[in-house]
Amino acid sequence: MKLRLRCHETRETLKLEFADTGTLHDLRRRISVSDPSSVHLSLNRKDELLSPSVDDTLRSLGVTSGDLIYYSLDHSAFVASDHDIGLASSSGEAHQGLAPSGDSLHDSMGIGFVEADLNPDLAEGSGMEDAEAMDVQEIDVEIAAAGKKRLSEPLFLKNTLLEKSGDTSELTLLAMSVHAVMLESGFLLLNSGSDDKFSFSKELLSVSLKYTLLELVNPKGSSTVESVTVQFQSLGRVVVVYGSLSGSSQSVPWVYLDKHRFVPVIDLVMDTLKFEKEGSSVFYREVFMFWRMVKDGLAIPLLIRLCDKAGLEPPPCLMVIPTELKMKILESLPGVSVAKMACVCTEMRYLASDNDLWKQKYLKESKNLFGMEAGESVNWKEKFATFWRRKVRTTFPVGLNCSRRSSVRFPPLLRDPVPWFGQPAPRGLGRRPWGRARCNHGALNFCPRCNHHG
Amino acid sequence: MIVLKSSDGETFEIEEAVALQSQTIAHMVEDDCVENGIPLANVTGEILAKIIEYCKKHVEGGGGSEEELKIWDKEFIENIDQSTLFNLILAANYLNIKTLLDLTCQRVADMIS
């Protein structure tokens, strides 16, 4: 098997071919012919790799071809101790063997917490010519491999801000934070001069950033690259961020960011070196809320649209899970939501038209046992629709002030309390891989017979 | 102790009782092919860590009342973003962990309705 041996202190890496049946002792002897017992080996730089018996092969210890093994002649090199991820702080843990040499190194260590392939611009060493820094990058991926990624979001945010923020204006701070989320989701910045820091305090109207994916970047040709544009508009207390696909007039995903809520939290991220690990901390929660809002509301929808346009595999979302799981989810939904899901796309319409599913919904919600009488084919969806119409009529008689929201999760009835189930609307619905469809016929967002996407 | 290896090279060592909550792993243990650790090519380290967190909490005997466990489940499932949620669904499906699959699918249903 092929093994890589890396000296713990000097980072020098040797590649060697080792017999599958070799033992730990054989490996030690390879490293130091004269004094094999002075060699200490480790797989994770924390715990020493020891074999219970001298004859145990490396394979029986879990070492396989391609593995990286650290070695050291210092007997205290791999003494296990509390692995505090706070090593990103200025007090570098000595036993990690990384000499703290200024903030920039620590920043790169934070960035390394995310999988390396998500940050190709960093892995390619942009802005870091130092070979040692490159090595630090590799090592940091291994630190990340030791687990404890719960802290990655604030750390990643902090490092992106430190790297890219040209000033501390609120718009810049929020823009760069959104930029961090986009990077973490897999996007690459397309703006020219992307190594420079961004400074938006002087921008009065709007700021826009262009992103693409690694797979779409064509190094040779100068042909236009599929991209998405993220625009920021500062409106008083709120910054509106919206994204759009280049060359598309589809509905755009957008997010409102309350400056008063998020700017203090982001400032704190910049200043704090160590982070509390527990999720109960309000500070950590707010960062997470921000992250989730931007990622789920902006980054992922844009990623899905871009992948769809470019023909790439979409990220994990509702539409990529197996069919039986989609059915399982539909089964847990109330009848109205199943009908809404049917308006989302052709596949969903097919799944949501399942007669057995509607039978289940009807029997559960109408609690009507008389529906059991007909043994042959009954259109349960129609039965449900009839039942629902009757229910709505009795709950919302015509003439009642319909602007109040009911306790049942019903959208406000503006014109016609009775939904129009007949003719399908000629207008199609934009492809939305995720919930919340808005059908436009009738006042209610409920169209069991709608024929969107034919 | 059972060693699990994620697709990106992370290894996790867990107790057998924790790992056996996954039917897939239980079958592998029965078929006795877990000597060098179990490689899970479809699950990344981040997701596997979350799954192990869940399984550790749900090991037989809960370590608390049913109510407490429900509260913990709620906290667990509400504090993750969509990307992680769907990855968890796919992983729970692959590893065949019924309770986690039910929890995650219910969460998606709640988000839709």
Side-chain angles (χ1 to χ4, degrees):
Chain A
M1 57 170 118
K2 288 190 168 56
L3 290 175
R4 288 176 291 153
L5 286 172
R6 181 173 288 169
C7 178
H8 185 57
E9 286 86 21
T10 67
R11 306 280 156 261
E12 205 183 285
T13 308
L14 313 159
K15 286 191 184 150
L16 50 83
E17 184 64 40
F18 197 69
D20 283 352
T21 50
T23 66
L24 211 53
H25 190 72
D26 290 333
L27 189 59
R28 288 202 188 107
R29 216 168 345 150
R30 268 300 263 282
I31 297 169
S32 168
V33 179
S34 52
D35 189 13
S37 54
S38 69
V39 176
H40 299 269
L41 301 166
S42 171
L43 282 173
N44 61 4
R45 279 162 52 220
K46 272 192 295 174
D47 310 307
E48 184 163 352
L49 186 62
L50 297 165
S51 58
S53 131
V54 184
D55 297 326
D56 277 347
T57 60
L58 274 183
R59 225 209 237 145
S60 69
L61 297 170
V63 178
T64 54
S65 186
D67 273 353
L68 174 67
I69 301 179
Y70 293 93
Y71 70 89
S72 172
L73 298 168
D74 175 10
H75 71 273
S76 62
F78 303 124
V79 173
S81 68
D82 279 23
H83 185 54
D84 184 0
I85 277 307
L87 74 89
S89 73
S90 50
S91 60
E93 315 274 307
H95 81 271
Q96 290 293 329
L98 291 166
S101 53
D103 277 340
S104 59
L105 249 181
H106 290 290
D107 291 347
S108 71
M109 279 157 62
I111 293 171
F113 273 105
V114 184
E115 288 109 295
D117 60 330
L118 281 186
N119 293 289
D121 51 334
L122 296 166
E124 278 150 20
S126 67
M128 288 205 272
E129 302 93 26
D130 199 353
E132 194 197 350
M134 269 303 294
D135 216 9
V136 169
Q137 202 70 40
E138 276 178 89
I139 289 168
D140 299 326
V141 175
E142 275 134 36
I143 294 178
K148 302 203 178 127
K149 287 202 181 171
R150 277 199 82 190
L151 296 176
S152 66
E153 286 146 12
L155 272 172
F156 185 70
L157 179 59
K158 177 188 173 194
N159 291 304
T160 312
L161 287 172
L162 286 175
E163 204 183 284
K164 287 290 194 188
S165 278
D167 61 44
T168 50
S169 77
E170 291 175 335
L171 183 58
T172 310
L173 227 49
L174 285 172
M176 287 300 100
S177 308
V178 171
H179 172 65
V181 179
M182 294 295 283
L183 285 183
E184 200 257 348
S185 306
F187 284 102
L188 293 178
L189 191 62
L190 259 188
N191 282 36
S192 52
S194 52
D195 282 346
D196 306 330
K197 297 199 174 192
F198 290 102
S199 173
F200 300 133
S201 55
K202 304 219 178 69
E203 305 292 333
L204 295 172
L205 294 171
S206 72
V207 171
S208 92
L209 297 171
K210 251 184 155 171
Y211 295 95
T212 186
L213 295 172
L214 182 62
E215 293 90 344
L216 299 174
V217 172
N218 186 354
K220 293 176 201 160
S222 56
S223 53
T224 47
V225 167
E226 296 286 358
S227 64
V228 295
T229 312
V230 175
Q231 280 174 294
F232 302 85
Q233 269 186 343
S234 182
L235 299 171
R237 171 189 164 127
V238 150
V239 169
V240 183
V241 192
Y242 53 96
S244 53
L245 196 56
S246 57
S248 156
S249 53
Q250 268 181 344
S251 58
V252 295
W254 49 262
V255 180
Y256 274 151
L257 295 176
D258 184 347
K259 285 182 193 170
H260 294 208
R261 184 179 171 195
F262 292 121
V263 171
V265 171
I266 297 172
D267 266 333
L268 214 56
V269 168
M270 292 260 284
D271 295 334
T272 313
L273 293 172
K274 268 193 171 176
F275 299 100
E276 295 149 56
K277 290 181 195 179
E278 282 315 307
S280 55
S281 123
V282 171
F283 158 72
Y284 180 84
R285 261 234 147 84
E286 280 298 292
V287 174
F288 179 71
M289 290 306 293
F290 169 82
W291 198 270
R292 188 160 71 165
M293 231 165 103
V294 178
K295 187 159 184 189
D296 290 349
L298 190 77
I300 299 285
L302 284 176
L303 190 58
I304 292 172
R305 280 168 173 73
L306 192 56
C307 288
D308 197 34
K309 185 163 182 202
L312 297 171
E313 212 180 281
C317 58
L318 185 62
M319 300 315 285
V320 304
I321 65 178
T323 319
E324 67 264 18
L325 291 180
K326 285 194 197 108
M327 281 311 288
K328 187 181 160 87
I329 291 174
L330 284 177
E331 276 159 25
S332 340
L333 285 174
V336 190
S337 302
V338 175
K340 287 188 204 177
M341 284 301 279
C343 300
V344 166
C345 63
T346 349
E347 189 185 348
M348 269 299 157
R349 193 167 72 92
Y350 172 72
L351 288 178
S353 319
D354 183 42
N355 214 20
D356 280 333
L357 179 68
W358 280 107
K359 179 177 176 180
Q360 219 184 76
K361 298 297 153 202
Y362 176 75
L363 294 175
K364 185 173 166 197
E365 294 190 33
S366 70
K367 298 181 174 57
N368 183 358
L369 296 170
F370 296 118
M372 301 282 276
E373 89 267 308
E376 339 78 39
S377 48
V378 178
N379 189 336
W380 290 102
K381 197 175 184 184
E382 262 194 57
K383 271 187 111 68
F384 187 93
T386 321
F387 147 72
W388 193 259
R389 250 177 292 191
R390 217 175 297 138
K391 180 174 176 180
V392 163
R393 270 210 200 95
T394 51
T395 324
F396 295 100
V398 179
L400 187 72
N401 179 4
C402 300
S403 59
R404 279 178 307 166
R405 283 194 182 276
S406 70
S407 56
V408 181
R409 294 189 74 179
F410 244 86
L413 305 169
L414 296 172
R415 286 171 295 254
D416 181 6
V418 177
W420 174 243
F421 286 107
Q423 285 293 315
R427 204 181 335 174
L429 205 63
R431 276 201 92 121
R432 265 174 182 263
W434 182 239
R436 303 263 174 227
R438 281 179 215 280
C439 294
N440 273 313
H441 48 256
L444 287 182
N445 294 356
F446 177 42
C447 33
R449 289 222 198 115
C450 88
N451 198 24
H452 296 280
H453 289 262
Chain B
M1 297 291 268
I2 293 187
V3 173
L4 301 176
K5 293 189 184 173
S6 72
S7 60
D8 46 0
E10 275 187 67
T11 47
F12 298 83
E13 207 175 322
I14 51 176
E15 297 197 2
E16 201 167 301
V18 175
L20 290 182
Q21 289 182 61
S22 152
Q23 288 302 311
T24 313
I25 296 181
H27 289 145
M28 285 192 193
V29 169
E30 266 173 37
D31 294 341
D32 203 24
C33 43
V34 299
E35 267 184 35
N36 294 333
I38 302 177
L40 299 170
N42 289 355
V43 191
T44 62
E46 192 191 335
I47 302 300
L48 191 52
K50 277 251 158 236
I51 290 184
I52 289 175
E53 196 188 328
Y54 177 86
C55 289
K56 275 189 175 154
K57 190 74 187 176
H58 280 248
V59 148
E60 218 87 58
S65 67
E66 238 189 76
E67 269 303 310
E68 277 176 22
L69 204 60
K70 277 214 170 102
I71 295 175
W72 187 91
D73 276 351
K74 191 160 178 286
E75 266 289 305
F76 177 78
I77 208 73
E78 279 180 8
N79 282 339
I80 52 179
D81 61 1
Q82 276 185 31
S83 171
T84 315
L85 180 61
F86 286 111
N87 276 319
L88 273 179
I89 291 183
L90 292 168
N93 189 39
Y94 171 67
L95 291 172
N96 203 342
I97 307 174
K98 188 168 185 319
T99 45
L100 182 58
L101 196 57
D102 289 341
L103 181 67
T104 43
C105 287
Q106 187 57 52
R107 171 75 181 144
V108 175
D110 292 340
M111 284 167 91
I112 293 177
S113 62

